[in-house]
Amino acid sequence: MNYSLGIDIGGTNTNIGLTTEEGNVVAVETFKTKAFDKVEDYLDEITKRVVILCKKVEPKDTILGVGIGAPNGNYYNGTIEHAPNLQFNGIIELKKELEPRLKQEGFDLKVTVTNDANAAAMGEMIYGKAKFVKDFLMITLGTGLGSGIVVGGKLVYGSTGFAGEVGHTIVEPNGRQCNCGRNGCLERYCSATGIVITAKEKLEECAACSLLREYDENELTSKAIYECALKGDKIALECFDYTARILARGIANAAEVTSPRKVYLFGGLANSGELLINPLRKYLEEELYTVYRNTIEIEQSGLKEADAAILGAAALTFE
Amino acid sequence: MNYSLGIDIGGTNTNIGLTTEEGNVVAVETFKTKAFDKVEDYLDEITKRVVILCKKVEPKDTILGVGIGAPNGNYYNGTIEHAPNLQFNGIIELKKELEPRLKQEGFDLKVTVTNDANAAAMGEMIYGKAKFVKDFLMITLGTGLGSGIVVGGKLVYGSTGFAGEVGHTIVEPNGRQCNCGRNGCLERYCSATGIVITAKEKLEECAACSLLREYDENELTSKAIYECALKGDKIALECFDYTARILARGIANAAEVTSPRKVYLFGGLANSGELLINPLRKYLEEELYTVYRNTIEIEQSGLKEADAAILGAAALTFE
């Protein structure tokens, strides 16, 4: 039996899992990313926790490597570069710093880095629904919108290692202001953040009564909108419909580049299931150029949310 | 020395070239596509002309195969499917029909089909500027806007064989009506057809004098706009500026999917050179998501226009 280490770096927590080839997470180490001011201390902590997990495995040459999924993770450079939601500025040399640290502890392991959406796409290929799917898009709907592009069974990294920023394609010229400094990016509409903006806009535009009006402005989350939609609230349902329509446009534009057979949705908002996916299927067919109609299936990811980020990262070691 | 046959199928002419591995077109057969009402007769004519060219080569096993670039050409199926500008409706089984015909004539050659923009991308990789470029976009600016997507040194065909329709990504929701039945497709703005629409709109919007007003409505071509722009005509220059701005948006959206290192422009409008490419470079940097800025170079194709379609098609036989 072979093992891998999957590391999921988030703004709040860092989760490190020891995984088997079959996709079981057998042990996890978790700590607060935010607890560290200096990147060196943070890297030391990762090293310490990885070593704890590695010591559980005998013989140690059954450990294939360490995979890391991180915001703005770069596959070619083995780095995190200018991640807006981490307290460490600039470039973090994960691979260059972690490999020698681990070697010093007696574990000569290759460290592979990519962004979280790419890691999810790898996870989908190895442990999810995409085992036999050569061309697909992975769309992660969290605070933002991430994407992993798979062409011919391989993740697309592109010339920079940053390929797959579908969340920052422009779907509405002169549209909503995005954190990236431009206007009309897909993720400003289609993400947990985006649907809340939509709800606020709709509540302002019209005076119709809505369960959504019972929430304070800062209590109004994508989950609240989901729950109101389940109860049949008209404005909440309109929010999902609008999100689906704009998401269809963004997916269509990306699909017209690579012609995927499947689109997998993952993350918070994707858990709304048919409430989002049903209108999305309808709008996608409308938005697609003729030759692609009825060629693309949209499904919820087959990855279990709790383990997905760790398994996705661990899957990088199989490449 | 090895040889290939490259066939460029267009609405008006069909050009068949005998090419060398080095990229020289040593003999050409040309005939009118429109001269044939029945697809069988057309396929017989292609066969006859291919045989004429093949007989020039000794020994015949130095002929690698036949590559065909055609509108709506499908690589997987070896077909042309529902090409709007050909008189033959439905699906043309190029590979299935031509291979046995050629075999009967004593030439056991593999026939490979793809669309014209993909053929141009193959030509760029083998005979043009992209010999050492693994990730690039080929954009052909003719009557419409075609594109070939190269990732990791390979053409992207996607699950359908129709990948790479950047011309039909939506850049302006509720924008200009496209022949495909939708609104706001990139090619309605950025093509020989698109820039003429832009010119007519601008001439209607304002009363300023312009050299463009000297043309009859149906004489106003992209070439005329180019010539007026060269003479410093303000409105003609604005047309190029507007085309560049919208093209930048379309290229940015596609580049955010695959992160190319180069974008090559080919075809009629691309010959406007710096008049288009200079503003395009500027706008592309503005339109791109931060991580891609200063990572993408835009250049005119390195293929000679006269031979490009034949060489691109012939290059398919090297795959």
Side-chain angles (χ1 to χ4, degrees), chain A residues 149 158-160 162-165 168-171 173 180 182 249 253 256-261 287-289 292, chain B residues 149 158-160 162-165 168-171 173 180 182 249 253 256-261 287-289 292-293:
Chain A
I149 317 290
S159 77
T160 56
F162 285 123
E165 288 287 356
H168 289 282
T169 56
I170 306 291
V171 288
C180 77
R182 299 173 308 148
R249 190 186 296 160
N253 276 356
E256 281 150 7
V257 178
T258 64
S259 186
R261 184 153 77 82
E287 292 280 346
L288 278 171
Y289 179 50
Y292 305 114
Chain B
I149 317 291
S159 76
T160 56
F162 285 122
E165 287 287 355
H168 289 282
T169 57
I170 306 290
V171 288
C180 77
R182 299 173 308 148
R249 189 186 298 159
N253 276 356
E256 280 148 11
V257 178
T258 63
S259 187
R261 185 153 76 81
E287 291 282 345
L288 279 171
Y289 180 50
Y292 305 114
R293 288 192 191 149

Side-chain angles (χ1 to χ4, degrees), chain A residues 51-220:
Chain A
V51 168
I52 291 172
L53 292 171
C54 285
K55 285 192 174 154
K56 296 178 191 285
V57 177
E58 276 299 336
K60 66 183 180 180
D61 63 4
T62 57
I63 306 176
L64 299 176
V66 179
I68 304 180
N72 288 30
N74 189 293
Y75 178 76
Y76 295 133
N77 305 335
T79 52
I80 296 176
E81 304 194 8
H82 311 286
N85 61 344
L86 293 183
Q87 71 272 33
F88 313 117
N89 297 325
I91 293 171
I92 307 172
E93 295 279 359
L94 285 176
K95 181 184 174 70
K96 217 165 101 182
E97 294 289 335
L98 288 175
E99 283 181 354
R101 278 174 165 83
L102 289 168
K103 197 167 185 178
Q104 211 169 3
E105 299 286 338
F107 296 97
D108 193 4
L109 297 170
K110 192 181 162 195
V111 172
T112 310
V113 182
T114 193
N115 76 41
D116 12 17
N118 283 345
M122 280 300 292
E124 200 71 49
M125 271 196 278
I126 302 201
Y127 301 119
K129 291 182 177 171
K131 277 171 199 156
F132 304 103
V133 183
K134 293 268 173 220
D135 298 280
F136 70 90
L137 304 183
M138 185 85 194
I139 304 284
T140 66
L141 298 165
T143 314
L145 185 153
S147 63
I149 317 290
V150 175
V151 167
K154 288 202 149 85
L155 256 172
V156 176
Y157 293 111
S159 77
T160 56
F162 285 123
E165 288 287 356
V166 175
H168 289 282
T169 56
I170 306 291
V171 288
E172 201 63 82
N174 308 313
R176 293 178 185 169
Q177 172 89 46
C178 183
N179 298 333
C180 77
R182 299 173 308 148
N183 288 82
C185 291
L186 181 62
E187 77 166 26
R188 289 309 281 173
Y189 298 84
C190 305
S191 62
T193 318
I195 198 170
V196 170
I197 300 174
T198 300
K200 287 178 180 169
E201 281 182 4
K202 286 194 182 291
L203 290 171
E204 234 169 66
E205 273 165 23
C206 83
C209 60
S210 165
L211 296 170
L212 293 171
R213 297 200 195 274
E214 288 166 23
Y215 293 84
D216 269 357
E217 200 182 328
N218 42 12
E219 283 173 3
L220 192 58

Side-chain angles (χ1 to χ4, degrees), chain B residues 81-122:
Chain B
E81 305 193 6
H82 311 286
N85 60 344
L86 293 184
Q87 72 272 33
F88 313 117
N89 295 323
I91 294 172
I92 308 172
E93 295 280 0
L94 283 178
K95 181 184 173 70
K96 218 164 101 182
E97 295 289 335
L98 288 176
E99 283 182 353
R101 278 175 166 81
L102 289 168
K103 197 164 182 180
Q104 212 169 0
E105 300 285 337
F107 296 97
D108 194 3
L109 298 170
K110 192 181 162 197
V111 172
T112 309
V113 182
T114 194
N115 76 42
D116 12 16
N118 284 345
M122 280 300 292

